[in-house]
Amino acid sequence: MHFISWFGLVGFISIAAAMLITGSRAWGIASLVACSIFIVSRLLAFILSRHLCCPLCMGKVMASVRCHKHVNAQRLPPLTYRATAVLAVLFTLSFRCMYCGTRFRLRK
């Protein structure tokens, strides 16, 4: 959901720019669709991420909390801790809790 929302935002900006250049009504409707994709996916990501907790420390892994991060927490430099955890879950089926530093594997 997190990445779908950012694709929706980039689509909204680029389609809105195309609408301003061409002045076509079809680009305006496509821009509104991209904006609605962004808003709906952000709402769904917010609702779903509030219930995902670390099994060990009970910290909210996919939500932004202002707690201090663990020394072993992983973060890719251009991304946040949450976005890095999302990428890790999608590509490696494991993640490292940013609050307690424990690695969890999602596959059995």
Side-chain angles (χ1 to χ4, degrees):
M1 284 294 168
H2 186 69
F3 291 108
I4 291 172
S5 68
W6 291 114
F7 287 134
L9 180 65
V10 169
F12 169 69
I13 292 171
S14 59
I15 294 171
M19 180 194 66
L20 290 175
I21 293 171
T22 62
S24 174
R25 183 180 172 106
W27 287 112
I29 293 171
S31 175
L32 289 176
V33 169
C35 183
S36 64
I37 289 172
F38 172 72
I39 291 171
V40 168
S41 63
R42 288 302 290 177
L43 286 173
L44 284 174
F46 176 73
I47 291 169
L48 294 174
S49 69
R50 295 181 66 204
H51 300 292
L52 295 173
C53 296
C54 172
L56 186 63
C57 69
M58 295 302 184
K60 303 222 183 271
V61 178
M62 298 297 170
S64 297
V65 181
R66 295 193 184 263
C67 297
H68 290 286
K69 307 302 186 258
H70 193 269
V71 177
N72 294 335
Q74 294 177 339
R75 182 179 76 89
L76 296 173
L79 302 175
T80 62
Y81 287 100
R82 179 176 60 169
T84 304
V86 168
L87 283 176
V89 167
L90 288 175
F91 291 112
T92 64
L93 292 177
S94 66
F95 71 95
R96 182 179 296 272
C97 177
M98 63 187 87
Y99 303 114
C100 66
T102 307
R103 176 167 293 289
F104 294 99
R105 291 187 354 204
L106 300 176
R107 59 187 150 199
K108 301 270 177 179

